[in-house]
Amino acid sequence: NAGVTQTPKFQVLKTGQSMTLQCAQDMNHEYMSWYRQDPGMGLRLIHYSVGAGITDQGEVPNGYNVSRSTTEDFPLRLLSAAPSQTSVYFCASSYLRQGNEQFFGPGTRLTVL
Amino acid sequence: GNSVTQMEGPVTLSEEAFLTINCTYTATGYPSLFWYVQYPGEGLQLLLKATKADDKGSNKGFEATYRKETTSFHLEKGSVQVSDSAVYFCALYSNTGNQFYFGTGTSLTVIP
């Protein structure tokens, strides 16, 4: 099992550009989520999904879109990048059952100039 | 609502010292509780978990007990090593919200 994979590992964008961060898991997990990690802020939930075709907003969804067309994939789209979106982004997945932990990807470090 | 409050850092300890990182929570229903560890430049990985009151999770010498009466899940280790230097996150999962909730993280540095 590859677990949770994320691409790219690093990305530099200019203000106003768009891009998609990729996330995939091979564990047949129902639940997938995106977080951003900023110094002193811990992890903040951007969007999450409880299954294919179902997505919902987390704490900081503005400026980001998601879709879940398959169980395996959960891409995060930045529509028009802003310097405030400079962060480290983590994708995570889990079974949707009490007691089951989330598995995290290695992260994408994004810089918006 | 659901939330996790975690001890502020950073924490600096000498090797072989005793470690406690405090974590308290508020939750609706009966949450599961977790401690995750993040080493520099890496993603989070599960350290231990507990799924019901009075359960004790343990791994690599770390322990935490699910205390419903004090709504706490404090992380402890009797003798830390330099290799334990990392950021530690307390988290809960509540099926009433279908979300995981994380504390802000506590940075631990262990010096030889």
Side-chain angles (χ1 to χ4, degrees), chain A residues 95-112:
Chain A
Y95 291 115
L96 198 59
R97 250 164 278 155
Q98 193 74 289
N100 284 104
E101 68 271 23
Q102 283 193 304
F103 292 81
F104 281 80
T108 295
R109 184 174 293 275
L110 175 69
T111 301
V112 183

Side-chain angles (χ1 to χ4, degrees), chain B residues 13 33 36 49 61-62 66 71 99:
Chain B
L13 294 174
L33 301 174
Y36 284 85
K49 69 179 183 182
F62 291 89
Y66 189 144
T71 61
Q99 288 188 27

Side-chain angles (χ1 to χ4, degrees), chain A residues 46-85:
Chain A
I46 304 171
H47 286 283
Y48 66 100
S49 167
V50 298
I54 306 169
T55 63
D56 209 343
Q57 295 181 353
E59 180 186 355
V60 288
N62 292 342
Y64 307 94
N65 271 1
V66 292
S67 60
R68 184 100 179 267
S69 56
T70 67
T71 299
E72 295 78 20
D73 299 298
F74 191 45
L76 178 73
R77 296 183 192 83
L78 280 69
L79 308 171
S80 177
S84 61
Q85 293 178 304

Side-chain angles (χ1 to χ4, degrees), chain B residues 7-81:
Chain B
M7 172 177 157
E8 296 277 337
V11 174
T12 301
L13 294 174
S14 297
E15 208 164 22
E16 299 183 2
F18 184 85
L19 168 71
T20 300
I21 300 177
N22 290 337
C23 171
T24 57
Y25 68 89
T26 58
T28 55
Y30 301 94
S32 298
L33 301 174
F34 307 88
W35 276 101
Y36 284 85
V37 60
Q38 183 181 33
Y39 298 103
E42 298 183 9
L44 279 70
Q45 53 186 277
L46 180 71
L47 180 60
L48 53 83
K49 69 179 183 182
T51 59
K52 61 183 188 298
D54 300 324
D55 267 3
K56 177 186 281 188
S58 60
N59 186 26
K60 300 180 182 179
F62 291 89
E63 293 183 339
T65 301
Y66 189 144
R67 301 281 188 206
K68 191 165 165 47
E69 63 277 10
T70 55
T71 61
S72 64
F73 193 54
H74 305 322
L75 182 68
E76 296 182 337
K77 187 175 186 184
S79 175
V80 295
Q81 305 301 313

